[in-house]
Amino acid sequence: FFFFSSSSSCSSASASLKAMDPYQYDSRMQMMQQMPPHMVQQPPPPHMQPQHHPPPQQPPPQQQQQPQQPPQVFDKDKIYQLVHDLTSPEQREQALHLLSKRRDSVPDLAPILWHSFGTMAALLQEIVAIYPLLSPPALSAHASNRVCNALALLQCVASHQETRGLFLVADIPLFLYPFLNTNCKNRPFEYLRLTSLGVIGALVKTDESEVITFLLSTEIIPLCLRIMETGSELSKTVATFIVQKILLDDMGLQHICQTFERFSHVALILGKMVHGLAKIPSSRLLKHVVRCYLRLSDNQRAREVLRQVLPDPLRDNTFANCLKDDATTQRWLNQLMTNLQEQGALPPTAVSAAPMPTASAAAAAMGVNNSGVPSSSNSNS
């Protein structure tokens, strides 16, 4: 005989019976059904049944705040070793890659690079080794990445206050000009030009007259104007930024407005850029173009010519949508329009040393009509 204390026990017993031989299972079930009721233990009444209370919910453990990691401190010994590896031709490529990645986390990397024996010579070797690949164009992506890592370290030296002057005295920017003079538009060359522009941009960003004086003694303005005309949008933006910084310096503005040839070259390229931006807008690039025009309008002779040759898209609402969220550029554009409407003369110090031709003659010489549109005869000049 089987006695069951609860329905759950019956279920478990029934399950064990089903595991038996089918004949034994049927016979035993019949025997259980024929048993008197008093021989089968009945389940207790509901009020006597044990109450199953769910276990008390434990409060969720408080999320432990991870301790803030201290700022990563560079290992000077590791940096010194990587700088030393630059002088080893076998280890130079890896050292260039690692140092260029860590240059922002090492505050004194520029003085370390400059004062380490043979380091700057090794970086210049990387640059000069690329010259044979410029013409005919044979620069691979791997070679471009390697020399750009070297250029990134040069940019670090150009940005540091302690090494910037030494960088200029050594004429190191001149080693980058062959890269800016390329016109191949594939990706390795574009990356090379852009990184080289970044080195010059790091120099002019300091707003130091010493930098402007050095650059005006070189061919940086014609090189930048060429990139502004034919480069990619990002290269155009950096090149225009460099020209803008040169113009913002009084010596730079006087240099560009000293002769009509210099001014007309700058104004012509800016005009082409405006008409290009009217077709493919770029608020970032337009900002620098407008700032260049505004600064040119500070010169009396240049302002007289700009009244005739300023492109129409800057006069009407062509760039209204592009400038709706850029209050600074819109303010510059409004100030430019105000400057061109004024008839008063600037002080004598602002007038260029070599007088420009009359406005109409200047417009004709620049190959543009009164709307600032390049004429067909000189549109490719």
Side-chain angles (χ1 to χ4, degrees):
F1 300 98
F2 297 90
F3 298 91
F4 305 95
S5 60
S6 65
S7 58
S8 62
S9 300
C10 292
S11 300
S12 60
S14 176
S16 57
L17 287 175
K18 289 182 180 179
M20 299 179 182
D21 182 80
Y23 175 77
Q24 294 179 354
Y25 171 78
D26 294 337
S27 60
R28 293 194 181 189
M29 288 298 296
Q30 291 178 1
M31 183 176 61
M32 290 173 60
Q33 293 175 359
Q34 295 175 359
M35 289 174 58
H38 66 276
M39 298 184 64
V40 179
Q41 183 174 355
Q42 300 295 329
H47 67 277
M48 301 276 304
Q49 293 183 3
Q51 301 293 326
H52 298 282
H53 298 285
Q57 295 183 355
Q58 298 293 334
Q62 294 183 356
Q63 187 176 3
Q64 297 182 356
Q65 295 182 354
Q66 297 294 336
Q68 294 183 355
Q69 297 293 336
Q72 185 177 5
V73 180
F74 67 93
D75 185 355
K76 277 194 173 183
D77 293 336
K78 179 64 174 178
I79 297 299
Y80 292 153
Q81 183 61 48
L82 290 175
V83 173
H84 180 268
D85 290 345
L86 290 176
T87 59
S88 172
E90 294 78 13
Q91 299 173 319
R92 183 179 300 169
E93 183 174 2
Q94 181 70 6
L96 286 171
H97 174 69
L98 294 177
L99 285 173
S100 64
K101 288 178 58 178
R102 302 180 184 181
R103 65 186 187 275
D104 294 332
S105 61
V106 185
D108 297 329
L109 180 58
I112 294 173
L113 291 171
W114 184 266
H115 296 291
S116 299
F117 177 78
T119 300
M120 296 306 298
L123 296 179
L124 293 180
Q125 285 178 357
E126 290 293 312
I127 292 174
V128 175
I130 299 298
Y131 289 170
L133 305 179
L134 301 181
S135 182
L139 183 64
S140 64
H142 177 266
S144 178
N145 289 334
R146 175 166 174 164
V147 70
C148 285
N149 286 333
L151 291 172
L153 297 182
L154 290 183
Q155 180 174 343
C156 176
V157 176
S159 303
H160 199 278
Q161 183 177 5
E162 181 180 337
T163 55
R164 187 182 306 117
L166 301 172
F167 187 81
L168 296 176
V169 171
D171 291 335
I172 292 181
L174 300 182
F175 286 89
L176 313 184
Y177 287 7
F179 299 156
L180 301 179
N181 199 33
T182 58
N183 53 14
C184 185
K185 295 188 178 183
N186 62 28
R187 193 162 188 169
F189 278 91
E190 181 62 29
Y191 186 30
L192 180 62
R193 278 191 298 270
L194 184 60
T195 311
S196 302
L197 286 170
V199 179
I200 308 301
L203 288 172
V204 299
K205 193 180 294 185
T206 61
D207 296 326
E208 294 181 357
S209 297
E210 179 186 6
V211 173
I212 304 301
T213 302
F214 171 84
L215 293 178
L216 291 179
S217 66
T218 69
E219 296 297 315
I220 189 61
I221 294 178
L223 291 172
C224 285
L225 292 176
R226 181 177 182 178
I227 296 175
M228 289 163 61
E229 183 178 9
T230 62
S232 65
E233 178 187 340
L234 191 54
S235 294
K236 287 181 179 181
T237 303
V238 181
T240 310
F241 170 77
I242 295 173
V243 173
Q244 170 190 325
K245 283 294 187 178
I246 293 175
L247 280 170
L248 289 176
D249 186 89
D250 291 339
M251 189 180 304
L253 178 63
Q254 180 182 1
H255 175 84
I256 290 179
C257 296
Q258 187 174 10
T259 65
F260 175 70
E261 288 73 16
R262 294 174 185 171
F263 167 79
S264 62
H265 193 189
V266 174
L268 182 63
I269 298 301
L270 290 175
K272 289 182 177 181
M273 294 179 69
V274 169
H275 289 289
L277 289 171
K279 300 176 182 178
I280 306 177
S282 170
S283 57
R284 179 174 53 181
L285 180 55
L286 180 62
K287 179 177 184 177
H288 297 301
V289 172
V290 172
R291 189 66 184 93
C292 288
Y293 271 120
L294 178 59
R295 179 56 174 166
L296 286 173
S297 69
D298 290 338
N299 182 276
Q300 181 183 10
R301 301 300 185 190
R303 184 167 63 247
E304 293 175 357
V305 178
L306 287 178
R307 290 194 182 104
Q308 300 292 326
V309 302
L310 188 71
D312 281 344
L314 292 179
R315 301 175 185 268
D316 52 31
N317 293 324
T318 300
F319 298 111
N321 291 332
C322 189
L323 299 179
K324 62 181 180 180
D325 297 325
D326 192 343
T328 300
T329 307
Q330 185 63 59
R331 184 176 69 252
W332 289 345
L333 184 57
N334 294 338
Q335 184 62 45
L336 172 62
M337 296 297 104
T338 302
N339 291 353
L340 297 184
Q341 292 172 1
E342 292 178 352
Q343 299 297 328
L346 292 179
T349 56
V351 181
S352 59
M356 293 185 181
T358 62
S360 57
M366 291 173 59
V368 297
N369 55 30
N370 291 339
S371 300
V373 180
S375 61
S376 57
S377 59
N378 294 331
S379 58
N380 295 325
S381 60

